[in-house]
């Protein structure tokens, strides 16, 4: 019984070798983690100071951002209140049935 696909179908491996030649071997290791190994030099890019002159933000933008934040908080509060009411009702019904479940 053949152990590999190449032994079963020899034409497949020959074609793939022609289409995709193996990559060349590295002459040295990609990283040398030795104490005395030469380290590659890394140069930091030059730092260019940027002075950003920002324009003043109009009051309407600040007001709309604050109102959007308020609406978001209000919607989250309404959602939490609705979920808490549903959970309280379910828990109340469950706790009502506990004495009958125990007996």
């Amino acid at each position: 019984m053949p152990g590999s696909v190449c032994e079963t179908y020899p034409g497949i491996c020959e074609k793939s070798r022609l289409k995709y030649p193996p990559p060349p071997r590295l002459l040295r290791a990609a990283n040398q983690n030795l104490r005395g190994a030469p380290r590659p030099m890394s140069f930091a890019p030059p730092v260019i100071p940027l002075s950003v002159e920002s324009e003043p933000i109009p009051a309407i933008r600040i007001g709309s951002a604050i109102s959007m934040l308020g609406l978001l908080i209000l919607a989250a509060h309404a959602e939490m209140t609705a979920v808490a009411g549903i959970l309280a009702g379910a828990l109340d019904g469950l706790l009502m049935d506990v004495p009958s479940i125990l007996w």
Side-chain angles (χ1 to χ4, degrees):
M1 176 180 220
S4 70
V5 177
C6 293
E7 292 175 6
T8 308
Y9 307 102
I12 293 175
C13 294
E14 291 171 5
K15 289 178 185 174
S16 67
R17 282 194 197 109
L18 294 175
K19 191 172 181 181
Y20 303 106
R25 292 271 185 198
L26 295 174
L27 299 176
R28 61 176 179 78
N31 58 347
Q32 296 176 350
N33 295 327
L34 303 174
R35 285 190 179 208
R39 303 282 179 212
M41 296 293 289
S42 63
F43 297 102
V47 178
I48 301 171
L50 297 174
S51 61
V52 179
E53 295 180 14
S54 63
E55 297 177 9
I57 301 173
I60 189 76
R61 285 188 132 184
I62 295 173
S64 64
I66 291 172
S67 66
M68 290 292 282
L69 183 62
L71 286 174
L72 183 69
I73 292 171
L74 184 64
H77 180 265
E79 291 262 343
M80 287 175 23
T81 305
V83 169
I86 293 169
L87 288 178
L91 189 62
D92 186 36
L94 180 69
L95 291 178
M96 280 245 193
D97 295 338
V98 169
S100 63
I101 292 172
L102 293 177
W103 292 104

